Amino acid sequence: MWSHTRSLELLVLAATVAPAELIRVATAFGPAAGADRARAARRGLLGAPAAYLLVTAAALAVAADGGFVPDTLTGWRTGALWLPAAAAAGAALVGAEFALGAVPRLPAGTGLPRLAVHRDGGAVGGGYAAAVLVTAAAEELLYRGLWTGVLHEGLHLPAGVAVAAAAAAYAVGHLFFGGLAVAQKALSGTVFGLLMVVSGSLAVPLVAHLAQNGVVFALAVRQERGARPAGGREAVG
């Protein structure tokens, strides 16, 4: 059953646009950015997934209490072929995001940048793997499950409009990682949303997102073992 007062749905969505920006708020009165690289790395590693978990949990709690939990959050059944296809799509998105990040360099004639993972200098390990996977799960529950569901099922917007709006919110949520990450995540968010609409299951974009972040983790491990490259970056999330 949906709430008769649409302001509640819209307020919940507005409050979940950019969870990672909570890190900036929490550290606004602390040491200057870059003054302590180790602290900055820990802030990105722990702060981003913590912020997403906090905001997602709060949003889902309000949605449940307000009686406007969309069907997208409860739809997990899907055909067996969808899951490997989703994993392949998620892995391919890493290359697509990199290609998008390389576009601004082409007119300058500086050549293609090397693929690098944006991780603020933090060490790669179990904590990093957990962070990227937890963040992916929270983002899918929030943007594909809640956002797309509220806009399409609750406010009766066309599915394409709901997917685009959710992708935009998901992209802005990566403003913490820079403007390039926003453009990259707008692309990924659109693909995740379309996967959910076409498959009818939240499990499909979740698997795609986990696969994407799994590839990012593998690249981060490789990057740490070798020389640190310069150039294009792949933002985590």
PDB file of all heavy atoms in Angstrom, residues 115-150:
ATOM      1  N   LEU A 115      44.702   2.526 -17.468  1.00  0.00           N
ATOM      2  CA  LEU A 115      43.618   2.225 -16.544  1.00  0.00           C
ATOM      3  C   LEU A 115      44.137   2.216 -15.117  1.00  0.00           C
ATOM      4  O   LEU A 115      45.093   1.522 -14.794  1.00  0.00           O
ATOM      5  CB  LEU A 115      43.007   0.869 -16.877  1.00  0.00           C
ATOM      6  CG  LEU A 115      41.850   0.404 -16.001  1.00  0.00           C
ATOM      7  CD1 LEU A 115      40.688   1.386 -16.121  1.00  0.00           C
ATOM      8  CD2 LEU A 115      41.406  -0.988 -16.407  1.00  0.00           C
ATOM      9  N   ALA A 116      43.503   3.018 -14.259  1.00  0.00           N
ATOM     10  CA  ALA A 116      43.901   3.071 -12.855  1.00  0.00           C
ATOM     11  C   ALA A 116      42.659   3.137 -11.994  1.00  0.00           C
ATOM     12  O   ALA A 116      41.616   3.618 -12.419  1.00  0.00           O
ATOM     13  CB  ALA A 116      44.787   4.292 -12.591  1.00  0.00           C
ATOM     14  N   VAL A 117      42.775   2.643 -10.787  1.00  0.00           N
ATOM     15  CA  VAL A 117      41.662   2.609  -9.857  1.00  0.00           C
ATOM     16  C   VAL A 117      41.801   3.728  -8.844  1.00  0.00           C
ATOM     17  O   VAL A 117      42.856   3.908  -8.237  1.00  0.00           O
ATOM     18  CB  VAL A 117      41.608   1.248  -9.125  1.00  0.00           C
ATOM     19  CG1 VAL A 117      40.498   1.246  -8.089  1.00  0.00           C
ATOM     20  CG2 VAL A 117      41.390   0.128 -10.135  1.00  0.00           C
ATOM     21  N   HIS A 118      40.735   4.477  -8.664  1.00  0.00           N
ATOM     22  CA  HIS A 118      40.718   5.574  -7.706  1.00  0.00           C
ATOM     23  C   HIS A 118      40.465   5.016  -6.312  1.00  0.00           C
ATOM     24  O   HIS A 118      39.396   4.506  -6.026  1.00  0.00           O
ATOM     25  CB  HIS A 118      39.615   6.567  -8.075  1.00  0.00           C
ATOM     26  CG  HIS A 118      39.581   7.780  -7.198  1.00  0.00           C
ATOM     27  ND1 HIS A 118      40.166   8.961  -7.571  1.00  0.00           N
ATOM     28  CD2 HIS A 118      39.050   8.000  -5.969  1.00  0.00           C
ATOM     29  CE1 HIS A 118      39.978   9.859  -6.613  1.00  0.00           C
ATOM     30  NE2 HIS A 118      39.308   9.291  -5.630  1.00  0.00           N
ATOM     31  N   ARG A 119      41.501   5.091  -5.440  1.00  0.00           N
ATOM     32  CA  ARG A 119      41.314   4.571  -4.092  1.00  0.00           C
ATOM     33  C   ARG A 119      42.031   5.420  -3.048  1.00  0.00           C
ATOM     34  O   ARG A 119      42.264   4.974  -1.923  1.00  0.00           O
ATOM     35  CB  ARG A 119      41.780   3.121  -4.004  1.00  0.00           C
ATOM     36  CG  ARG A 119      43.197   2.886  -4.501  1.00  0.00           C
ATOM     37  CD  ARG A 119      43.530   1.393  -4.514  1.00  0.00           C
ATOM     38  NE  ARG A 119      44.877   1.162  -5.003  1.00  0.00           N
ATOM     39  CZ  ARG A 119      45.954   1.248  -4.245  1.00  0.00           C
ATOM     40  NH1 ARG A 119      45.836   1.572  -2.976  1.00  0.00           N
ATOM     41  NH2 ARG A 119      47.137   1.021  -4.751  1.00  0.00           N
ATOM     42  N   ASP A 120      42.424   6.636  -3.378  1.00  0.00           N
ATOM     43  CA  ASP A 120      42.996   7.584  -2.421  1.00  0.00           C
ATOM     44  C   ASP A 120      44.216   7.041  -1.679  1.00  0.00           C
ATOM     45  O   ASP A 120      44.487   7.398  -0.539  1.00  0.00           O
ATOM     46  CB  ASP A 120      41.940   8.003  -1.380  1.00  0.00           C
ATOM     47  CG  ASP A 120      40.824   8.810  -2.006  1.00  0.00           C
ATOM     48  OD1 ASP A 120      41.114   9.555  -2.965  1.00  0.00           O
ATOM     49  OD2 ASP A 120      39.678   8.716  -1.546  1.00  0.00           O
ATOM     50  N   GLY A 121      44.962   6.162  -2.332  1.00  0.00           N
ATOM     51  CA  GLY A 121      46.195   5.692  -1.723  1.00  0.00           C
ATOM     52  C   GLY A 121      46.014   4.648  -0.642  1.00  0.00           C
ATOM     53  O   GLY A 121      46.966   4.262   0.013  1.00  0.00           O
ATOM     54  N   GLY A 122      44.806   4.173  -0.418  1.00  0.00           N
ATOM     55  CA  GLY A 122      44.581   3.183   0.621  1.00  0.00           C
ATOM     56  C   GLY A 122      45.117   1.817   0.215  1.00  0.00           C
ATOM     57  O   GLY A 122      45.201   1.480  -0.956  1.00  0.00           O
ATOM     58  N   ALA A 123      45.503   1.014   1.198  1.00  0.00           N
ATOM     59  CA  ALA A 123      46.028  -0.313   0.924  1.00  0.00           C
ATOM     60  C   ALA A 123      44.908  -1.230   0.436  1.00  0.00           C
ATOM     61  O   ALA A 123      43.772  -1.140   0.883  1.00  0.00           O
ATOM     62  CB  ALA A 123      46.681  -0.881   2.171  1.00  0.00           C
ATOM     63  N   VAL A 124      45.260  -2.112  -0.505  1.00  0.00           N
ATOM     64  CA  VAL A 124      44.299  -3.070  -1.031  1.00  0.00           C
ATOM     65  C   VAL A 124      44.350  -4.323  -0.177  1.00  0.00           C
ATOM     66  O   VAL A 124      45.410  -4.878   0.083  1.00  0.00           O
ATOM     67  CB  VAL A 124      44.618  -3.418  -2.500  1.00  0.00           C
ATOM     68  CG1 VAL A 124      43.694  -4.508  -3.001  1.00  0.00           C
ATOM     69  CG2 VAL A 124      44.494  -2.175  -3.361  1.00  0.00           C
ATOM     70  N   GLY A 125      43.203  -4.783   0.262  1.00  0.00           N
ATOM     71  CA  GLY A 125      43.139  -5.977   1.090  1.00  0.00           C
ATOM     72  C   GLY A 125      41.701  -6.365   1.323  1.00  0.00           C
ATOM     73  O   GLY A 125      40.791  -5.948   0.597  1.00  0.00           O
ATOM     74  N   GLY A 126      41.493  -7.166   2.365  1.00  0.00           N
ATOM     75  CA  GLY A 126      40.143  -7.620   2.662  1.00  0.00           C
ATOM     76  C   GLY A 126      39.202  -6.484   2.980  1.00  0.00           C
ATOM     77  O   GLY A 126      38.022  -6.528   2.604  1.00  0.00           O
ATOM     78  N   GLY A 127      39.701  -5.453   3.659  1.00  0.00           N
ATOM     79  CA  GLY A 127      38.852  -4.311   3.989  1.00  0.00           C
ATOM     80  C   GLY A 127      38.393  -3.574   2.751  1.00  0.00           C
ATOM     81  O   GLY A 127      37.232  -3.153   2.662  1.00  0.00           O
ATOM     82  N   TYR A 128      39.293  -3.440   1.793  1.00  0.00           N
ATOM     83  CA  TYR A 128      38.937  -2.760   0.542  1.00  0.00           C
ATOM     84  C   TYR A 128      37.912  -3.575  -0.228  1.00  0.00           C
ATOM     85  O   TYR A 128      36.928  -3.034  -0.761  1.00  0.00           O
ATOM     86  CB  TYR A 128      40.199  -2.552  -0.294  1.00  0.00           C
ATOM     87  CG  TYR A 128      39.957  -1.818  -1.592  1.00  0.00           C
ATOM     88  CD1 TYR A 128      39.863  -0.429  -1.620  1.00  0.00           C
ATOM     89  CD2 TYR A 128      39.826  -2.505  -2.793  1.00  0.00           C
ATOM     90  CE1 TYR A 128      39.643   0.247  -2.812  1.00  0.00           C
ATOM     91  CE2 TYR A 128      39.613  -1.844  -3.984  1.00  0.00           C
ATOM     92  CZ  TYR A 128      39.522  -0.460  -3.990  1.00  0.00           C
ATOM     93  OH  TYR A 128      39.292   0.199  -5.167  1.00  0.00           O
ATOM     94  N   ALA A 129      38.112  -4.900  -0.296  1.00  0.00           N
ATOM     95  CA  ALA A 129      37.161  -5.767  -0.998  1.00  0.00           C
ATOM     96  C   ALA A 129      35.788  -5.683  -0.356  1.00  0.00           C
ATOM     97  O   ALA A 129      34.767  -5.560  -1.048  1.00  0.00           O
ATOM     98  CB  ALA A 129      37.665  -7.215  -0.985  1.00  0.00           C
ATOM     99  N   ALA A 130      35.748  -5.744   0.973  1.00  0.00           N
ATOM    100  CA  ALA A 130      34.464  -5.655   1.680  1.00  0.00           C
ATOM    101  C   ALA A 130      33.795  -4.316   1.414  1.00  0.00           C
ATOM    102  O   ALA A 130      32.577  -4.240   1.233  1.00  0.00           O
ATOM    103  CB  ALA A 130      34.671  -5.862   3.177  1.00  0.00           C
ATOM    104  N   ALA A 131      34.599  -3.237   1.384  1.00  0.00           N
ATOM    105  CA  ALA A 131      34.050  -1.902   1.181  1.00  0.00           C
ATOM    106  C   ALA A 131      33.366  -1.774  -0.170  1.00  0.00           C
ATOM    107  O   ALA A 131      32.246  -1.266  -0.276  1.00  0.00           O
ATOM    108  CB  ALA A 131      35.154  -0.851   1.317  1.00  0.00           C
ATOM    109  N   VAL A 132      34.027  -2.243  -1.232  1.00  0.00           N
ATOM    110  CA  VAL A 132      33.450  -2.075  -2.567  1.00  0.00           C
ATOM    111  C   VAL A 132      32.231  -2.969  -2.760  1.00  0.00           C
ATOM    112  O   VAL A 132      31.281  -2.598  -3.452  1.00  0.00           O
ATOM    113  CB  VAL A 132      34.501  -2.324  -3.676  1.00  0.00           C
ATOM    114  CG1 VAL A 132      35.620  -1.302  -3.596  1.00  0.00           C
ATOM    115  CG2 VAL A 132      35.053  -3.741  -3.629  1.00  0.00           C
ATOM    116  N   LEU A 133      32.231  -4.146  -2.141  1.00  0.00           N
ATOM    117  CA  LEU A 133      31.088  -5.047  -2.299  1.00  0.00           C
ATOM    118  C   LEU A 133      29.893  -4.586  -1.471  1.00  0.00           C
ATOM    119  O   LEU A 133      28.747  -4.629  -1.935  1.00  0.00           O
ATOM    120  CB  LEU A 133      31.491  -6.476  -1.914  1.00  0.00           C
ATOM    121  CG  LEU A 133      32.558  -7.111  -2.817  1.00  0.00           C
ATOM    122  CD1 LEU A 133      32.890  -8.514  -2.332  1.00  0.00           C
ATOM    123  CD2 LEU A 133      32.106  -7.148  -4.277  1.00  0.00           C
ATOM    124  N   VAL A 134      30.151  -4.133  -0.249  1.00  0.00           N
ATOM    125  CA  VAL A 134      29.070  -3.628   0.595  1.00  0.00           C
ATOM    126  C   VAL A 134      28.445  -2.385  -0.026  1.00  0.00           C
ATOM    127  O   VAL A 134      27.223  -2.217  -0.039  1.00  0.00           O
ATOM    128  CB  VAL A 134      29.589  -3.329   2.009  1.00  0.00           C
ATOM    129  CG1 VAL A 134      28.581  -2.489   2.789  1.00  0.00           C
ATOM    130  CG2 VAL A 134      29.857  -4.632   2.763  1.00  0.00           C
ATOM    131  N   THR A 135      29.289  -1.509  -0.548  1.00  0.00           N
ATOM    132  CA  THR A 135      28.779  -0.293  -1.175  1.00  0.00           C
ATOM    133  C   THR A 135      27.905  -0.626  -2.382  1.00  0.00           C
ATOM    134  O   THR A 135      26.846  -0.022  -2.591  1.00  0.00           O
ATOM    135  CB  THR A 135      29.938   0.619  -1.610  1.00  0.00           C
ATOM    136  OG1 THR A 135      30.742   0.939  -0.473  1.00  0.00           O
ATOM    137  CG2 THR A 135      29.415   1.914  -2.219  1.00  0.00           C
ATOM    138  N   ALA A 136      28.333  -1.603  -3.177  1.00  0.00           N
ATOM    139  CA  ALA A 136      27.537  -2.006  -4.346  1.00  0.00           C
ATOM    140  C   ALA A 136      26.156  -2.497  -3.932  1.00  0.00           C
ATOM    141  O   ALA A 136      25.141  -2.125  -4.536  1.00  0.00           O
ATOM    142  CB  ALA A 136      28.275  -3.099  -5.123  1.00  0.00           C
ATOM    143  N   ALA A 137      26.102  -3.325  -2.895  1.00  0.00           N
ATOM    144  CA  ALA A 137      24.814  -3.853  -2.441  1.00  0.00           C
ATOM    145  C   ALA A 137      23.913  -2.736  -1.935  1.00  0.00           C
ATOM    146  O   ALA A 137      22.718  -2.681  -2.251  1.00  0.00           O
ATOM    147  CB  ALA A 137      25.043  -4.891  -1.343  1.00  0.00           C
ATOM    148  N   ALA A 138      24.476  -1.827  -1.148  1.00  0.00           N
ATOM    149  CA  ALA A 138      23.682  -0.717  -0.614  1.00  0.00           C
ATOM    150  C   ALA A 138      23.169   0.174  -1.737  1.00  0.00           C
ATOM    151  O   ALA A 138      22.012   0.618  -1.727  1.00  0.00           O
ATOM    152  CB  ALA A 138      24.522   0.094   0.370  1.00  0.00           C
ATOM    153  N   GLU A 139      24.021   0.440  -2.732  1.00  0.00           N
ATOM    154  CA  GLU A 139      23.613   1.302  -3.843  1.00  0.00           C
ATOM    155  C   GLU A 139      22.479   0.683  -4.653  1.00  0.00           C
ATOM    156  O   GLU A 139      21.565   1.397  -5.096  1.00  0.00           O
ATOM    157  CB  GLU A 139      24.819   1.581  -4.747  1.00  0.00           C
ATOM    158  CG  GLU A 139      25.817   2.550  -4.121  1.00  0.00           C
ATOM    159  CD  GLU A 139      27.091   2.664  -4.923  1.00  0.00           C
ATOM    160  OE1 GLU A 139      27.466   1.688  -5.613  1.00  0.00           O
ATOM    161  OE2 GLU A 139      27.736   3.721  -4.850  1.00  0.00           O
ATOM    162  N   GLU A 140      22.523  -0.620  -4.859  1.00  0.00           N
ATOM    163  CA  GLU A 140      21.451  -1.245  -5.630  1.00  0.00           C
ATOM    164  C   GLU A 140      20.133  -1.252  -4.863  1.00  0.00           C
ATOM    165  O   GLU A 140      19.067  -0.999  -5.430  1.00  0.00           O
ATOM    166  CB  GLU A 140      21.851  -2.671  -6.029  1.00  0.00           C
ATOM    167  CG  GLU A 140      22.942  -2.705  -7.072  1.00  0.00           C
ATOM    168  CD  GLU A 140      22.650  -1.774  -8.234  1.00  0.00           C
ATOM    169  OE1 GLU A 140      21.585  -1.911  -8.870  1.00  0.00           O
ATOM    170  OE2 GLU A 140      23.473  -0.874  -8.500  1.00  0.00           O
ATOM    171  N   LEU A 141      20.180  -1.522  -3.570  1.00  0.00           N
ATOM    172  CA  LEU A 141      18.964  -1.454  -2.764  1.00  0.00           C
ATOM    173  C   LEU A 141      18.376  -0.043  -2.790  1.00  0.00           C
ATOM    174  O   LEU A 141      17.157   0.141  -2.874  1.00  0.00           O
ATOM    175  CB  LEU A 141      19.257  -1.859  -1.324  1.00  0.00           C
ATOM    176  CG  LEU A 141      19.524  -3.342  -1.069  1.00  0.00           C
ATOM    177  CD1 LEU A 141      20.015  -3.548   0.356  1.00  0.00           C
ATOM    178  CD2 LEU A 141      18.261  -4.164  -1.321  1.00  0.00           C
ATOM    179  N   LEU A 142      19.269   0.936  -2.749  1.00  0.00           N
ATOM    180  CA  LEU A 142      18.828   2.326  -2.664  1.00  0.00           C
ATOM    181  C   LEU A 142      18.343   2.870  -4.007  1.00  0.00           C
ATOM    182  O   LEU A 142      17.196   3.329  -4.130  1.00  0.00           O
ATOM    183  CB  LEU A 142      19.969   3.182  -2.127  1.00  0.00           C
ATOM    184  CG  LEU A 142      19.675   4.661  -1.870  1.00  0.00           C
ATOM    185  CD1 LEU A 142      18.547   4.818  -0.860  1.00  0.00           C
ATOM    186  CD2 LEU A 142      20.938   5.365  -1.365  1.00  0.00           C
ATOM    187  N   TYR A 143      19.196   2.808  -5.021  1.00  0.00           N
ATOM    188  CA  TYR A 143      18.886   3.497  -6.274  1.00  0.00           C
ATOM    189  C   TYR A 143      18.015   2.675  -7.216  1.00  0.00           C
ATOM    190  O   TYR A 143      17.110   3.208  -7.855  1.00  0.00           O
ATOM    191  CB  TYR A 143      20.179   3.923  -6.977  1.00  0.00           C
ATOM    192  CG  TYR A 143      20.935   4.955  -6.183  1.00  0.00           C
ATOM    193  CD1 TYR A 143      22.151   4.642  -5.590  1.00  0.00           C
ATOM    194  CD2 TYR A 143      20.413   6.228  -5.983  1.00  0.00           C
ATOM    195  CE1 TYR A 143      22.846   5.583  -4.837  1.00  0.00           C
ATOM    196  CE2 TYR A 143      21.100   7.171  -5.229  1.00  0.00           C
ATOM    197  CZ  TYR A 143      22.311   6.846  -4.659  1.00  0.00           C
ATOM    198  OH  TYR A 143      22.987   7.771  -3.909  1.00  0.00           O
ATOM    199  N   ARG A 144      18.295   1.384  -7.359  1.00  0.00           N
ATOM    200  CA  ARG A 144      17.451   0.583  -8.225  1.00  0.00           C
ATOM    201  C   ARG A 144      16.209   0.099  -7.472  1.00  0.00           C
ATOM    202  O   ARG A 144      15.106   0.129  -8.004  1.00  0.00           O
ATOM    203  CB  ARG A 144      18.243  -0.610  -8.779  1.00  0.00           C
ATOM    204  CG  ARG A 144      18.625  -0.450 -10.233  1.00  0.00           C
ATOM    205  CD  ARG A 144      19.449   0.783 -10.505  1.00  0.00           C
ATOM    206  NE  ARG A 144      20.759   0.722  -9.868  1.00  0.00           N
ATOM    207  CZ  ARG A 144      21.627   1.721  -9.868  1.00  0.00           C
ATOM    208  NH1 ARG A 144      21.332   2.867 -10.445  1.00  0.00           N
ATOM    209  NH2 ARG A 144      22.790   1.601  -9.270  1.00  0.00           N
ATOM    210  N   GLY A 145      16.375  -0.355  -6.229  1.00  0.00           N
ATOM    211  CA  GLY A 145      15.233  -0.860  -5.491  1.00  0.00           C
ATOM    212  C   GLY A 145      14.272   0.219  -5.041  1.00  0.00           C
ATOM    213  O   GLY A 145      13.086   0.201  -5.387  1.00  0.00           O
ATOM    214  N   LEU A 146      14.776   1.191  -4.280  1.00  0.00           N
ATOM    215  CA  LEU A 146      13.902   2.218  -3.713  1.00  0.00           C
ATOM    216  C   LEU A 146      13.598   3.335  -4.710  1.00  0.00           C
ATOM    217  O   LEU A 146      12.438   3.665  -4.955  1.00  0.00           O
ATOM    218  CB  LEU A 146      14.535   2.792  -2.448  1.00  0.00           C
ATOM    219  CG  LEU A 146      13.647   3.765  -1.660  1.00  0.00           C
ATOM    220  CD1 LEU A 146      12.388   3.069  -1.178  1.00  0.00           C
ATOM    221  CD2 LEU A 146      14.410   4.349  -0.470  1.00  0.00           C
ATOM    222  N   TRP A 147      14.642   3.937  -5.276  1.00  0.00           N
ATOM    223  CA  TRP A 147      14.435   5.070  -6.171  1.00  0.00           C
ATOM    224  C   TRP A 147      13.569   4.700  -7.376  1.00  0.00           C
ATOM    225  O   TRP A 147      12.543   5.344  -7.634  1.00  0.00           O
ATOM    226  CB  TRP A 147      15.790   5.610  -6.655  1.00  0.00           C
ATOM    227  CG  TRP A 147      16.288   6.773  -5.883  1.00  0.00           C
ATOM    228  CD1 TRP A 147      16.907   6.744  -4.669  1.00  0.00           C
ATOM    229  CD2 TRP A 147      16.207   8.151  -6.264  1.00  0.00           C
ATOM    230  NE1 TRP A 147      17.229   8.016  -4.269  1.00  0.00           N
ATOM    231  CE2 TRP A 147      16.820   8.897  -5.229  1.00  0.00           C
ATOM    232  CE3 TRP A 147      15.697   8.818  -7.362  1.00  0.00           C
ATOM    233  CZ2 TRP A 147      16.910  10.288  -5.273  1.00  0.00           C
ATOM    234  CZ3 TRP A 147      15.793  10.212  -7.422  1.00  0.00           C
ATOM    235  CH2 TRP A 147      16.393  10.926  -6.371  1.00  0.00           C
ATOM    236  N   THR A 148      13.995   3.683  -8.117  1.00  0.00           N
ATOM    237  CA  THR A 148      13.242   3.316  -9.317  1.00  0.00           C
ATOM    238  C   THR A 148      11.836   2.866  -8.957  1.00  0.00           C
ATOM    239  O   THR A 148      10.859   3.207  -9.638  1.00  0.00           O
ATOM    240  CB  THR A 148      13.969   2.201 -10.092  1.00  0.00           C
ATOM    241  OG1 THR A 148      15.309   2.618 -10.363  1.00  0.00           O
ATOM    242  CG2 THR A 148      13.258   1.907 -11.407  1.00  0.00           C
ATOM    243  N   GLY A 149      11.707   2.128  -7.867  1.00  0.00           N
ATOM    244  CA  GLY A 149      10.390   1.663  -7.445  1.00  0.00           C
ATOM    245  C   GLY A 149       9.459   2.785  -7.052  1.00  0.00           C
ATOM    246  O   GLY A 149       8.291   2.817  -7.457  1.00  0.00           O
ATOM    247  N   VAL A 150       9.945   3.721  -6.259  1.00  0.00           N
ATOM    248  CA  VAL A 150       9.103   4.847  -5.833  1.00  0.00           C
ATOM    249  C   VAL A 150       8.669   5.684  -7.032  1.00  0.00           C
ATOM    250  O   VAL A 150       7.508   6.060  -7.161  1.00  0.00           O
ATOM    251  CB  VAL A 150       9.855   5.717  -4.802  1.00  0.00           C
ATOM    252  CG1 VAL A 150       9.137   7.059  -4.611  1.00  0.00           C
ATOM    253  CG2 VAL A 150       9.967   4.990  -3.465  1.00  0.00           C
TER     254      VAL A 150
END
